Amino acid sequence: MTAASTLGTPLRLPYPYPPCEALPLHRPDDHQVYFTAGANAQERAKNADSKLTAYFKACALGAAGGGDDDAYAGFHTLTYTDMPRYCTWDTKTTTWNLRSCIAWDFLAGEFVSRTARPLNSILGPFGRVYFTDPRNSELYAIRTLLIHREGATSFEDLRTVGGQVMETFEAACIAARYFEDTAEPRRAMTEAVEELGFMRGRLRHFFAMLLVHTRVLNSRVLWEEFRGAMARDCEREAAGTVTAKSTAKMEQTALKDIEGLLKAHGKDLDSVGLSGLLSTGGKDQEMRGANARPSPCIAMSVTATGPNGASCAVPADGTVTVGALLTLVRDGLGLPLSADAYE
């Protein structure tokens, strides 16, 4: 078939099965409200529910129970992603309504078909909750809980595990064992120590990027486990230039490097759960000064001469650091140097 002949050929795409319905995701009191021009926006915001808050209300009514004609019976058995399968969304009333061909069987305790067709053949589209970045820990935890929890009646109920209301949604995920604490980051760091441990600075860089680009639930525990490896990494890098190679000082050096990498990506130690670990004040400044790598020295005798005969000579011992050499060039009006002797 030539390119010209394909112009008259209809494009046949596969039928998008199974169909999906997007479900919004938001924090408490953070959902979008739509209203027409001239409408009372504040009144609309009070009465209009999102698909998520309407799901909470429907589950609360279903959990309360009622007669055989209860319109919300059985909703307490559904997850958020189940709602489009059994219900339809009414945009005018912002409510979930059970599909007319489905009913709740109180005796069997399950949904059944009102028609001769089996239940699976009359269900609606699958629900799919909007994706969120795992680094947005609370919103990601809300999404995880909504996918797994049945019949949540509120945001507070969503973060309740075993009758105890957790402080955060992330804590609720950990308590419910939906999240592993530090298992995956620990495996990654263990491999990094084996593969990158001999490369100067790479282990600290890997740890910082792990905190920036992934969801580490307990970064302090991870730091405590691998701080020795990162301290040894600093010792290798500073070999021959540090007089006091105490482990505590090397750990502080590693933390300072990690903090610099985090700041380059818009974060800091506090934002990744490592607050209070980095020393501050005079002792920290003294430590960083002791661990600082000195500028390389060049043994030479040089003179920088300006247009009016101005000159700037190297100290009498004939040794100058690169930083001092640049200063000499600047003081010599930036003109080329004439090197009389190199050692």
Side-chain angles (χ1 to χ4, degrees), residues 36-238:
T36 58
N40 190 328
Q42 294 182 351
E43 190 66 22
R44 174 68 175 171
K46 291 180 181 178
N47 300 324
D49 286 311
S50 67
K51 289 183 178 181
L52 178 53
T53 55
Y55 161 71
F56 288 149
K57 290 183 178 180
C59 289
L61 293 172
D68 290 354
D69 59 346
D70 189 352
Y72 294 98
F75 277 39
H76 62 286
T77 65
L78 301 178
T79 64
Y80 186 36
T81 55
D82 290 332
M83 294 302 285
R85 300 280 282 164
Y86 296 88
C87 310
T88 57
W89 174 250
D90 191 332
T91 56
K92 293 184 179 180
T93 61
T94 62
T95 56
W96 289 103
N97 300 315
L98 191 65
R99 295 180 180 274
S100 59
C101 55
I102 299 175
W104 173 256
D105 189 334
F106 282 87
L107 294 178
E110 61 183 10
F111 286 101
V112 295
S113 172
R114 290 181 181 269
T115 66
R117 299 174 59 188
L119 180 63
N120 289 337
S121 66
I122 61 175
L123 294 178
F126 288 92
R128 184 170 185 177
V129 186
Y130 287 160
F131 178 77
T132 185
D133 194 327
R135 289 175 293 178
N136 192 342
S137 58
E138 281 297 277
L139 199 59
Y140 187 80
I142 292 175
R143 183 181 188 272
T144 304
L145 290 168
L146 288 172
I147 292 174
H148 293 89
R149 292 283 298 276
E150 296 179 352
T153 58
S154 64
F155 280 106
E156 182 176 338
D157 181 52
L158 192 64
R159 56 185 172 91
T160 301
V161 180
Q164 181 181 357
V165 181
M166 300 298 171
E167 293 185 1
T168 63
F169 295 100
E170 187 176 63
C173 282
I174 297 175
R177 299 189 180 277
Y178 296 144
F179 288 169
E180 293 185 4
D181 196 358
T182 55
E184 189 63 30
R186 184 184 293 111
R187 283 194 293 267
M189 282 298 298
T190 301
E191 293 179 6
V193 171
E194 297 174 357
E195 300 293 335
L196 306 176
F198 64 94
M199 303 175 68
R200 296 179 179 179
R202 293 298 300 274
L203 189 59
R204 283 164 285 166
H205 184 272
F206 181 84
F207 182 75
M209 295 303 101
L210 198 66
L211 298 177
V212 169
H213 297 293
T214 64
R215 178 182 49 83
V216 180
L217 297 180
N218 201 333
S219 56
R220 189 177 292 266
V221 172
L222 198 66
W223 161 257
E224 293 294 334
E225 183 172 350
F226 293 97
R227 64 179 184 177
M230 285 181 273
R232 291 190 295 272
D233 185 30
C234 290
E235 286 184 354
R236 284 192 296 269
E237 187 174 17

Side-chain angles (χ1 to χ4, degrees), residues 212-294:
V212 169
H213 297 293
T214 64
R215 178 182 49 83
V216 180
L217 297 180
N218 201 333
S219 56
R220 189 177 292 266
V221 172
L222 198 66
W223 161 257
E224 293 294 334
E225 183 172 350
F226 293 97
R227 64 179 184 177
M230 285 181 273
R232 291 190 295 272
D233 185 30
C234 290
E235 286 184 354
R236 284 192 296 269
E237 187 174 17
T241 61
V242 181
T243 56
K245 298 181 181 179
S246 66
T247 302
K249 287 185 177 182
M250 291 298 105
E251 289 176 358
Q252 289 294 307
T253 303
L255 276 173
K256 189 63 181 178
D257 292 343
I258 292 169
E259 184 183 46
L261 292 168
L262 292 175
K263 287 183 177 181
H265 291 80
K267 292 181 177 290
D268 54 24
L269 293 177
D270 293 343
S271 65
V272 297
L274 296 179
S275 58
L277 294 178
L278 187 62
S279 300
T280 57
K283 292 184 178 180
D284 184 46
Q285 296 292 338
E286 181 181 353
M287 180 273 300
R288 290 201 300 270
N291 291 333
R293 178 184 294 179

Side-chain angles (χ1 to χ4, degrees), residues 304-311 332-333 335:
T305 305
N308 297 324
S311 63
L333 303 181
L335 296 179

